[in-house]
Amino acid sequence: GFVGDLEIRDQTGNLHFSPGEQVYIHWHGRRLFGGSIEDIEEDSPGESDDVFHRLRCVDFNQILDRFYVSASYSEKTVLEIVTDIVNVQTLLKDEGVTVGEVQTGPTIKKANFNYVKVSDIFKDLAELTGMTWNVDHYKTVRFFDRSTYTAPFNFTATPGERKYRNLSYSKSRNQYRNKQWLRAGQAETDPRTEFFRGDSSTIDPEKRSRTFTLTFPVSRIISIKRDGI
């Protein structure tokens, strides 16, 4: 989620804020931020009634960190799991959280959550399905395929149409390769038969060798024979 600092100058000295209070920022009727206060610092210079409030705010994604789920799902879509978590398994709906643009997504064969934070569950679902998610400025859960969501604008270098500020990029050769060597992992060999000579029957049974070292670690044992039997 987004974390940002907000500074407010109170010329009356009467304003006081509390952690957990909700914060909304609007610009020309458009909501740019919705969240709550995480930390507060107040600074009073003393030369006037001015009080400066520095608020550290977090967006509504933080709400999901406060709720845990113990549930098991079998053959359920992402939409079904997310809807059940928000509306049934938790009190998120009582916090004003709603299910918004949540695509159906793939069917999850089996998913078990043993007292797991909702935010961690959503992260796991996103990694498993290749989707992404967030809680927007209106407390609405959104879960969608990255490829279906694009920015509402394009970057351009045309003067007067640049919709960005302080943009920079860099290039490096630290990942450049002329050749790339890959070390293979483990795999099964062709079927092998190995022979070992047993100890004489006249040797003390307690001293007979019972360990036979194979050339490779064992993947599968098809058979063990003694004298061909």
Side-chain angles (χ1 to χ4, degrees):
F2 175 81
V3 179
D5 294 329
L6 179 65
E7 186 166 322
I8 298 175
R9 179 187 178 185
D10 174 20
Q11 293 180 295
T12 67
N14 295 323
L15 288 178
H16 296 284
F17 301 95
S18 300
E21 283 190 73
Q22 295 187 5
V23 176
Y24 299 96
I25 299 176
H26 293 84
W27 179 259
H28 295 291
R30 180 187 176 193
R31 185 175 294 183
L32 301 180
F33 176 81
S36 59
I37 300 173
E38 187 79 0
D39 301 302
I40 301 170
E41 289 184 10
E42 293 186 7
D43 184 15
S44 180
E47 300 173 355
S48 64
D49 292 334
D50 289 1
V51 177
F52 294 89
H53 304 267
R54 283 181 292 276
L55 312 178
R56 181 173 177 266
C57 303
V58 295
D59 64 18
F60 286 135
N61 287 282
Q62 185 264 354
I63 297 176
L64 304 189
D65 291 338
R66 306 197 328 248
F67 292 87
Y68 290 75
V69 169
S70 291
S72 178
Y73 299 96
S74 178
E75 300 294 338
K76 297 294 184 182
T77 64
V78 172
L79 174 59
E80 290 173 318
I81 294 174
V82 171
T83 302
D84 183 69
I85 288 174
V86 173
N87 294 333
V88 180
Q89 299 296 331
T90 67
L91 296 177
L92 280 168
K93 64 179 181 180
D94 294 340
E95 292 282 337
V97 177
T98 60
V99 177
E101 181 193 350
V102 178
Q103 297 178 1
T104 302
T107 299
I108 308 300
K109 186 173 182 180
K110 189 73 176 177
N112 296 310
F113 304 111
N114 184 18
Y115 201 64
V116 181
K117 282 193 299 186
V118 174
S119 55
D120 289 337
I121 292 175
F122 285 4
K123 289 176 185 176
D124 289 344
L125 288 176
E127 291 179 3
L128 182 64
T129 62
M131 303 173 76
T132 191
W133 66 275
N134 63 38
V135 179
D136 68 13
H137 306 322
Y138 297 88
K139 295 186 181 180
T140 302
V141 176
R142 302 168 66 247
F143 226 105
F144 49 88
D145 191 311
R146 293 182 179 94
S147 63
T148 64
Y149 185 76
T150 58
F153 56 86
N154 293 319
F155 285 112
T156 174
T158 304
E161 297 182 6
R162 299 188 177 113
K163 298 180 175 65
Y164 54 83
R165 183 181 302 166
N166 298 327
L167 178 66
S168 63
Y169 74 96
S170 61
K171 296 180 180 180
S172 173
R173 67 174 184 178
N174 62 351
Q175 293 185 334
Y176 178 81
R177 299 287 189 273
N178 282 323
K179 291 183 178 181
Q180 182 79 22
W181 296 95
L182 300 178
R183 293 186 61 184
Q186 291 185 338
E188 289 188 349
T189 67
D190 293 332
R192 297 173 55 88
T193 301
E194 299 191 23
F195 298 89
F196 301 93
R197 182 178 293 277
D199 290 331
S200 172
S201 59
T202 60
I203 297 178
D204 185 345
E206 296 301 323
K207 296 182 180 180
R208 290 179 185 171
S209 175
R210 286 175 164 78
T211 300
F212 306 96
T213 303
L214 303 177
T215 305
F216 296 101
V218 176
S219 173
R220 290 177 296 143
I221 294 180
I222 298 175
S223 64
I224 299 176
K225 297 181 180 181
R226 179 181 177 183
D227 292 334
I229 300 173

